[in-house]
Amino acid sequence: MNKLEYYTPDDMPKEIQAYEAKVEQLGVGKSGKVGILDLELQTDDEGKTVVTKQFSQVPLQIQRALYPENSLPKMAYLYVISPSGGILQGDRYRTDVVLKNKAAAHMTTQGATRIYSMNSNSASQILNITVDENCYFEYIPDQIIPYKNSRYYQKVNLNVHNNSTLVYSEILTPGRVAMGESFEYDICYLRTHCKDQDKKTRFLENTKIEPKKQRLRNFGILGEYEIVGTVYILTRKDNVHELENNLNEYIKNSDGVSVGTSILSDESGIIIRVLGNKTNSVFDVIFKILEISRKKILGAEFSKIRKS
């Protein structure tokens, strides 16, 4: 795990490579610049989901599993924490999560992913999620906040069995709006690639935002909105159409946001896009999506995430 290639994306876009430069303070790959989190989750003899393998390297850590959900007492809740407070120039993060043997888990972060201002190099994060047959996983991190002059590349690899479910979300904000920073970062590049158990592609999506080069207020980009939320629901085909109908019934008329849903190719899942101007409003929709999805797929309730 000490090799630079292990925690650096192998397909770094040329737009990110353009910022490649020596970091004078603390170079790429040095101690404290590499965050690693490696987890495996399985059910024990009583059907309770437990962590069966765990390795972490600061600035990435994981709290012990909690079981707060009354309707799903055996579902593990996991919280990713980072003592650094944010991602700095030259940082390289990698997270691997594997669910096996009918595991069911919910994972989130302690707070927002803050991408600090940069004057050399960039930052990247790799997230590999594998959901084996008959498993269920929700990964709902807090929002990404790119600071002024930051450069960030995130590569997400989802490997989801056709007979399992993954609900994955991400929220991208314009920056530190309260500090007068809005769309002042250099680049935020998000790439998400999902495959099934046979390595067949279920979907591939690239989001590249370069505020200093794009007119984000134009129609067809962000228009009147500033915050973009995305939810991917990968689940069994027989769930898809009814689930999308349920989602459209309850979230289309959400106040202060614009919501659109689409069924993925081969009916392998649903993508939901949420545009808004308040992070809480976008999260409210995502939590409603989670509530509807869990009810349909597991027949269980969802209690809003508590972090205080």
Side-chain angles (χ1 to χ4, degrees):
M1 291 187 181
N2 293 324
K3 292 185 178 180
L4 186 61
E5 294 81 7
Y6 178 76
Y7 42 79
T8 300
D10 57 6
D11 60 350
M12 199 78 83
K14 64 181 187 300
E15 295 91 341
I16 297 290
Q17 293 180 26
Y19 295 103
E20 192 68 30
K22 182 179 180 181
V23 181
E24 296 295 338
Q25 297 90 339
L26 196 60
V28 176
K30 299 296 183 180
S31 178
K33 303 296 291 178
V34 177
I36 298 175
L37 181 60
D38 191 358
L39 293 174
E40 181 183 86
L41 297 152
Q42 297 193 54
T43 55
D44 62 13
D45 293 339
E46 297 178 352
K48 180 180 180 181
T49 297
V50 296
V51 177
T52 50
K53 185 178 76 171
Q54 176 179 334
F55 175 83
S56 62
Q57 180 171 307
V58 173
L60 282 181
Q61 295 177 302
I62 192 83
Q63 289 184 328
R64 66 181 180 86
L66 302 175
Y67 302 88
E69 197 67 83
N70 291 332
S71 65
L72 288 169
K74 296 180 180 180
M75 171 184 268
Y77 271 60
L78 302 162
Y79 294 81
V80 180
I81 59 176
S82 173
S84 70
I87 296 178
L88 307 174
Q89 59 190 15
D91 281 4
R92 302 290 184 262
Y93 285 15
R94 172 169 174 161
T95 298
D96 293 80
V97 184
V98 177
L99 277 76
K100 298 179 178 180
N101 188 29
K102 299 181 180 180
H106 175 100
M107 188 167 171
T108 186
T109 53
Q110 69 175 132
T113 299
R114 294 173 171 82
I115 317 297
Y116 285 118
S117 183
M118 303 174 185
N119 55 31
S120 66
N121 213 278
S122 61
S124 68
Q125 180 160 215
I126 303 170
L127 174 61
N128 298 315
I129 295 176
T130 300
V131 186
D132 281 354
E133 187 171 14
N134 296 321
C135 293
Y136 180 93
F137 188 42
E138 301 166 346
Y139 184 58
I140 314 293
D142 277 10
Q143 68 271 26
I144 298 170
I145 305 177
Y147 286 22
K148 182 178 181 179
N149 300 329
S150 62
R151 307 97 180 231
Y152 178 64
Y153 176 51
Q154 177 177 282
K155 182 179 183 182
V156 178
N157 298 306
L158 308 176
N159 301 284
V160 185
H161 195 285
N162 290 331
N163 291 326
S164 287
T165 295
L166 168 66
V167 183
Y168 171 81
S169 74
E170 57 193 25
I171 296 177
L172 177 60
T173 70
R176 294 190 300 173
V177 177
M179 302 293 290
E181 295 178 13
S182 184
F183 296 114
E184 294 190 22
Y185 54 92
D186 290 331
I187 184 171
C188 186
Y189 199 127
L190 310 177
R191 175 172 289 167
T192 307
H193 191 186
C194 181
K195 298 180 181 180
D196 66 11
Q197 69 275 11
D198 299 319
K199 306 301 180 184
K200 178 183 177 183
T201 294
R202 297 176 72 161
F203 75 87
L204 172 62
E205 183 169 46
N206 292 314
T207 300
K208 181 183 71 173
I209 299 183
E210 296 179 278
K212 298 172 184 178
K213 299 179 181 180
Q214 298 170 302
R215 295 183 178 180
L216 299 177
R217 297 295 187 184
N218 284 2
F219 178 79
I221 304 181
L222 291 181
E224 62 186 276
Y225 299 105
E226 292 190 333
I227 299 169
V228 184
T230 305
V231 183
Y232 306 100
I233 304 174
L234 290 310
T235 190
R236 298 188 307 275
K237 285 186 180 183
D238 56 3
N239 287 327
V240 170
H241 286 282
E242 183 179 347
L243 180 54
E244 192 201 24
N245 289 336
N246 292 345
L247 292 171
N248 284 326
E249 181 179 352
Y250 288 103
I251 67 176
K252 279 282 189 176
N253 298 320
S254 300
D255 293 334
V257 298
S258 180
V259 184
T261 67
S262 296
I263 292 178
L264 296 170
S265 62
D266 200 29
E267 301 177 325
S268 65
I270 305 167
I271 178 172
I272 304 102
R273 198 83 71 197
V274 186
L275 299 177
N277 288 315
K278 294 183 179 179
T279 304
N280 287 344
S281 297
V282 175
F283 265 121
D284 286 343
V285 175
I286 290 176
F287 290 149
K288 188 64 179 179
I289 291 169
L290 201 54
E291 177 186 333
I292 294 168
S293 300
R294 191 187 284 188
K295 187 71 173 178
K296 166 62 181 171
I297 297 165
L298 296 183
E301 302 298 325
F302 168 71
S303 302
K304 191 172 182 179
I305 305 168
R306 294 184 61 185
K307 298 188 182 183
S308 59

